[in-house]
Amino acid sequence: MFTELSLHERLLKALAELSFQEPTPVQAAAIPHAIAGEDLYIIAQTGSGKTAAYVLPILQRLLDDDSKPLAPRALILSPTRELAQQIHQDIQALARFTFLKSELVIGGEDFKVQAAKLRKNPDIVVATPGRCLEQLAAGGLDASEVRTLVIDEADRMLDMGFSEDVLTIAQACPEQRQTMLFSATTGNAGIRRIVEQVLREPRWLELDSVKSDTPAIRQQVIPVDDNNHRERITKWLLLNECPGKAIVFTNTRVMADRLNGVLRAVEGLRVYVLHGEKDQKERKLAIERFKQGGNGVLVATDVAARGLDISELDLVINFDMPRSGDDYLHRVGRTGRAGAEGVAISLVAPHEWSLMSSIERYLRRQFERRVIKELAGSFRGPKNVKSSGKPVGAKKKKDDKKKPKRPKTPKPAARRKPAVPKGQVVLGSDDGFAPPKRRG
Ligand code: AMP
């Protein structure tokens, strides 16, 4: 019961309005320590109730704090704008019976308007790292009074190359502060570095790592010949096996746009697209419309879809195979929520078969193989597979041994290199598409 968690009656009233009756496991585990001001390192995924697990203690501590500094007392960092907006909305809902105010500091919105809102002295700021640094540098945001710093979805933050930004922002906050770090995956070297540098003797709570997987999701693999075949199968699945909502994930923005065009031409489908090149307004609109209707298809890249609380999905289609086991889990974890069985279908071309088997090994499960009779292609999976599940011949041949792995093509200098966590499976783009981009 929330009443056992020493929360202010105004917060209990908001919880009752939201019909949150019981704390979720992450809330029950984290809230008492967070209220006590401890540093926390929490492994929990989107959908676990992690936002309220740090927002409630922040609000409680602010209600207990009589000082009235002229700068925000809590700073929450989110990897994406959409997640930041969602956190901001959650704060507003939980703080509705208090005078506490939250403000957003995210890219894609007018810098000066944002600075003006910051001058109104919000208690909590929810920010994406890039814009947060810009507002700090311009003096729009003052972090000198921050008592609680939250780094949400830290694993994704690092994947997106924000590691240095996060460290710089943490340094701008007072040393005597509470820090809570949330990650959906267990520690890789990048996260350990942040934990060591930003948290002080943190309590480690592992509740719901994505690796724990979701047996309620039927996970299937359909072999495909090429992109044309992928498109035909995607259309068929959406028309024949999805009466409700579906997300189709692509690895690149170009493919998301292309597929959006292809699907829009299909009668009976309501299609929206979400990727990093869409501006803030377009993204907001796409999400709202997709959420509203009873059915619909959202074509999205991983980064653009990150942090969105889109539930009640009937189907997730991996139009391209995701580049890592964790990306796979983030994608398929969107279906089958709240006890309902969901379906996740990956379309796998010959060159992606090894990657798919690596993901199976990473998750320690085998996906169901499936062929759609009407659309059977010539590729049905490799004829011979090794015990690892990889196709025979997937590794380089003997006489290739001395050749360099891959010709080096000059790339434009990247400002920050995306961290590739150890333990994640194969990354790469031997499909001829653009290499992974940081802000999808
Ligand atoms: P989150 O993991 O923070 O993205 O939360 C996932 C969803 O669960 C959101 O829609 C929340 O509003 C909802 N939620 C969070 N805590 C509770 C709770 N204790 N009871 C019911 N729903 C909750």
Side-chain angles (χ1 to χ4, degrees):
M1 294 291 278
F2 279 109
T3 43
E4 288 157 22
L5 292 175
S6 317
L7 293 168
H8 196 286
E9 59 186 38
R10 288 168 191 248
L11 301 179
L12 293 175
K13 198 171 160 194
L15 286 165
E17 288 257 323
L18 289 167
S19 307
F20 289 7
Q21 279 152 7
E22 292 281 330
T24 65
V26 67
Q27 291 162 1
I31 290 173
H33 301 294
I35 291 180
E38 289 180 36
D39 276 12
L40 300 176
Y41 170 25
I42 297 178
I43 311 293
Q45 56 178 309
T46 309
S48 59
K50 67 180 169 58
T51 316
Y54 60 78
V55 169
L56 285 168
I58 287 177
L59 296 173
Q60 180 61 43
R61 280 162 60 82
L62 289 173
L63 289 168
D64 287 341
D65 176 7
D66 289 333
S67 68
K68 290 271 173 278
L70 293 170
R73 285 172 286 170
L75 174 62
I76 299 166
L77 295 179
S78 145
T80 63
R81 298 167 188 180
E82 284 79 13
L83 177 63
Q85 282 164 330
Q86 214 160 305
I87 297 167
H88 177 59
Q89 280 170 13
D90 287 355
I91 297 173
Q92 287 177 319
L94 290 167
R96 73 173 77 163
F97 299 112
T98 73
F99 296 104
L100 299 168
K101 293 275 174 284
S102 137
E103 202 50 76
L104 273 172
V105 172
I106 58 176
E109 292 188 350
D110 190 276
F111 195 83
K112 284 187 183 153
V113 172
Q114 219 163 56
K117 286 183 184 164
L118 287 170
R119 281 197 292 279
K120 289 191 181 157
N121 199 18
D123 304 281
I124 305 169
V125 164
V126 186
T128 46
R131 182 55 73 90
C132 182
L133 275 182
E134 285 166 12
Q135 286 288 9
L136 280 170
L141 178 64
D142 173 1
S144 66
E145 296 289 345
V146 168
R147 281 145 215 202
T148 303
L149 171 68
V150 175
I151 304 166
D152 201 354
E153 303 206 349
D155 47 348
R156 183 55 52 138
M157 202 97 82
L158 302 196
D159 283 352
M160 290 169 72
F162 287 136
S163 153
E164 292 308 317
D165 288 358
V166 170
L167 289 173
T168 312
I169 293 166
Q171 274 160 13
C173 301
E175 224 171 284
Q176 290 300 319
R177 59 158 201 272
Q178 173 186 38
T179 310
M180 293 185 259
L181 180 142
F182 288 76
S183 168
T185 46
T186 39
N188 56 56
I191 298 230
R192 281 200 296 276
R193 180 169 156 248
I194 298 272
V195 169
E196 274 162 27
Q197 296 193 15
V198 176
L199 279 76
R200 282 178 312 164
E201 299 175 21
R203 184 179 289 271
W204 197 73
L205 301 170
E206 180 168 354
L207 283 124
D208 195 11
S209 103
V210 285
K211 210 170 171 189
S212 61
D213 205 0
T214 26
I217 301 172
R218 287 188 71 183
Q219 297 174 61
Q220 304 177 332
V221 161
I222 301 181
V224 294
D225 296 338
D226 50 30
N227 280 345
N228 184 288
H229 195 201
R230 280 185 220 267
E231 286 174 8
R232 285 186 292 130
I233 292 185
T234 303
K235 278 192 246 176
W236 189 93
L237 289 169
L238 292 171
L239 290 171
N240 292 282
E241 296 195 353
C242 185
K245 288 199 173 91
I247 292 194
V248 185
F249 281 102
T250 65
N251 286 353
T252 64
R253 299 168 186 183
V254 175
M255 188 51 85
D257 275 336
R258 186 189 146 81
L259 188 61
N260 176 40
V262 169
L263 296 178
R264 267 169 194 257
V266 179
E267 209 177 309
L269 293 183
R270 276 191 333 129
V271 187
Y272 305 99
V273 66
L274 198 67
H275 61 61
E277 250 160 42
K278 297 273 164 202
D279 71 29
Q280 191 64 2
K281 244 188 179 171
E282 289 174 308
R283 292 208 244 178
K284 245 186 190 167
L285 205 67
I287 297 161
E288 274 165 20
R289 292 208 173 140
F290 175 70
K291 277 187 164 182
Q292 273 163 14
N295 61 0
V297 181
L298 185 67
V299 180
T301 56
D302 293 280
V303 175
R306 179 71 183 167
L308 294 180
D309 176 33
I310 297 174
S311 48
E312 292 168 32
L313 282 178
D314 301 285
L315 179 63
V316 168
I317 298 178
N318 290 320
F319 185 85
D320 305 304
M321 209 52 206
R323 297 181 173 105
S324 76
D326 287 335
D327 277 344
Y328 177 87
L329 280 171
H330 283 302
R331 288 181 180 188
V332 307
R334 295 171 181 281
T335 176
R337 283 193 195 182
E341 195 190 54
V343 183
I345 302 177
S346 303
L347 310 184
V348 184
H351 69 273
E352 292 169 309
W353 202 268
S354 298
L355 172 58
M356 188 275 294
S357 334
S358 314
I359 293 175
E360 283 185 321
R361 279 201 311 287
Y362 178 67
L363 303 177
R364 296 193 196 93
R365 72 181 289 166
Q366 210 193 8
F367 306 139
E368 216 179 291
R369 270 50 168 172
R370 162 172 190 206
V371 171
I372 295 170
K373 259 198 268 155
E374 298 89 317
L375 293 174
S378 50
F379 178 58
R380 301 286 178 98
K383 290 203 176 71
N384 300 312
V385 289
K386 300 177 204 162
S387 56
S388 64
K390 290 192 174 184
V392 171
K395 231 183 172 180
K396 57 185 180 233
K397 292 174 201 146
K398 260 187 191 166
D399 54 356
D400 282 347
K401 258 187 179 167
K402 280 180 192 141
K403 288 183 193 166
K405 272 187 197 155
R406 218 188 249 215
K408 278 191 180 155
T409 26
K411 283 186 197 150
R415 195 158 65 88
R416 291 183 226 89
K417 206 177 163 207
V420 179
K422 246 192 207 170
Q424 282 204 6
V425 264
V426 206
L427 307 178
S429 65
D430 48 353
D431 53 3
F433 297 138
K437 286 190 178 156
R438 277 187 299 111
R439 298 172 201 216

